[in-house]
């Protein structure tokens, strides 16, 4: 979205991604699920669209969003292939199968607007004085064998950058360490600790509908919240009615 907005405003953003384009990344992820062989640069965390591409794709409606930014996000998703129902659904949801197409089309739009993408490329350092980024191109070659891929030497490069946005998600620990080494101001974010609860869908359907849902009703969902005496809150973060757990 950062790259897309910059492109809409007439800039020519360069999007640097250590992982693979969405379709190629999908194959790497499926290989991991089937074989347990992990490509450390192209997986559920790293690749086009970030970790969100392989999330369940649930969206916060942000009904208190006075500036309409979230509405713009939802409309953009629909523009690039998401179902129109997310514009009015109580709990809007896209899903990984559709998100892969959406992020691919967003990339194509950015390219048409003058942007550029570098996949399999990682920012490993920067020089603030000269406004340079140091990049490493992960040579994947044409080999489908991960061990053969990693034997290929990586290529290093420096590029000028007037401004750089590090939108690196929560798993790029090596990048965080690099930024911390440059003494950038960093603040640890608070986080919630969760457990996974699984129910048979028929149980939730009977609880919410009072009967089998049949073909006329969607898989039922629920949400629970509770405020404790010590001031902390307990709540169900999200659920995937009728879905299955994705191993990350």
């Amino acid at each position: 979205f950062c790259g897309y907005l910059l492109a809409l405003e007439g800039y020519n953003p360069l999007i640097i991604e250590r992982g693979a384009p969405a379709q190629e990344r999908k194959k790497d992820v499926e290989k991991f699920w089937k074989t347990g062989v992990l490509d450390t640069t192209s997986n559920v965390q790293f690749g086009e669209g970030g970790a969100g591409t392989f999330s369940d794709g649930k969206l916060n409606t942000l009904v208190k969003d006075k500036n309409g930014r979230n509405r713009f996000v939802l409309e953009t998703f629909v523009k690039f292939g998401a179902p129109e129902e997310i514009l009015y659904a109580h709990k809007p949801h896209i899903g990984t199968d559709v998100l892969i197409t959406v992020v691919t089309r967003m990339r194509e739009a950015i390219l048409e607007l003058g942007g550029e993408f570098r996949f399999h490329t990682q920012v490993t350092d920067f020089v603030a004085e000269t406004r340079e980024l140091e990049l490493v191109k992960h040579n994947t070659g044409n080999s489908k064998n991960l061990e053969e891929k990693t034997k290929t030497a990586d290529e290093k490069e420096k590029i000028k950058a007037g401004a750089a946005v590090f939108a690196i998600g929560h798993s790029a620990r090596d990048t965080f360490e690099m930024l911390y080494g440059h003494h950038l101001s960093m603040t640890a974010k608070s986080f919630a600790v969760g457990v996974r609860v699984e129910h048979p869908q028929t149980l939730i359907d009977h609880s919410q509908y009072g009967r089998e849902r049949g073909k006329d009703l969607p898989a039922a969902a629920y949400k629970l919240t509770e405020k404790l005496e010590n001031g902390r809150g307990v709540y169900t973060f999200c659920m995937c009615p009728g879905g299955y757990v994705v191993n990350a």
Side-chain angles (χ1 to χ4, degrees):
F1 266 89
C2 179
Y4 179 60
L5 284 168
L6 287 170
L8 286 178
E9 293 296 326
Y11 295 94
N12 301 113
L14 168 63
I15 291 86
I16 299 168
E17 169 59 61
R18 77 163 73 185
Q23 296 295 341
E24 180 185 335
R25 178 188 179 192
K26 181 173 183 284
K27 295 177 182 178
D28 292 334
V29 171
E30 288 174 345
K31 180 180 179 181
F32 170 61
W33 286 338
K34 291 177 182 178
T35 67
V37 176
L38 176 68
D39 186 330
T40 57
T41 62
S42 180
N43 46 60
V44 170
Q45 303 294 353
F46 299 134
E48 185 172 28
T53 303
F54 281 87
S55 73
D56 188 44
K58 289 184 177 64
L59 307 167
N60 191 327
T61 55
L62 290 177
V63 292
K64 296 180 180 179
D65 177 22
K66 298 178 180 179
N67 295 316
R69 289 178 294 181
N70 189 70
R71 182 70 184 182
F72 170 76
V73 169
L74 297 179
E75 290 173 348
T76 301
F77 279 141
V78 172
K79 177 181 178 181
F80 291 112
E84 193 170 344
E85 65 190 45
I86 68 172
L87 297 176
Y88 56 80
H90 172 53
K91 294 181 179 178
H93 166 251
I94 298 179
T96 295
D97 50 339
V98 178
L99 278 168
I100 289 173
T101 299
V102 171
V103 298
T104 299
R105 291 177 178 174
M106 287 187 73
R107 182 223 312 157
E108 292 168 350
I110 292 171
L111 290 171
E112 289 178 4
L113 291 167
E116 181 184 349
F117 281 78
R118 299 267 194 100
F119 291 106
H120 302 292
T121 303
Q122 180 181 349
V123 176
T124 55
D125 204 357
F126 69 88
V127 182
E129 293 75 18
T130 58
R131 291 175 175 258
E132 283 183 322
L133 297 178
E134 294 187 3
L135 313 181
V136 168
K137 167 77 173 178
H138 299 298
N139 283 315
T140 59
N142 296 318
S143 171
K144 295 181 180 179
N145 185 300
L146 181 60
E147 292 183 1
E148 291 181 19
K149 283 184 182 182
T150 56
K151 291 178 182 177
T152 311
D154 290 335
E155 299 173 7
K156 295 184 179 181
E157 178 188 0
K158 291 184 179 181
I159 63 167
K160 289 284 188 179
V165 175
F166 283 80
I168 56 177
H170 61 62
S171 294
R173 295 176 181 86
D174 46 4
T175 308
F176 279 112
E177 186 175 0
M178 179 269 289
L179 295 172
Y180 186 73
H182 281 284
H183 306 293
L184 293 184
S185 176
M186 306 182 86
T187 303
K189 183 181 178 182
S190 59
F191 63 95
V193 177
V195 295
R196 175 170 281 122
V197 179
E198 297 183 47
H199 302 297
Q201 187 60 55
T202 52
L203 176 68
I204 306 303
D205 291 340
H206 275 278
S207 176
Q208 300 292 65
Y209 298 141
R211 64 171 175 84
E212 297 281 342
R213 73 173 185 270
K215 295 182 179 180
D216 57 327
L217 293 170
Y222 71 87
K223 183 174 183 178
L224 301 174
T225 63
E226 180 67 23
K227 195 76 171 180
L228 304 182
E229 293 180 358
N230 61 7
R232 291 184 179 274
V234 180
Y235 56 95
T236 50
F237 172 65
C238 68
M239 68 170 297
C240 185
Y244 59 93
V245 177
V246 173
N247 296 314

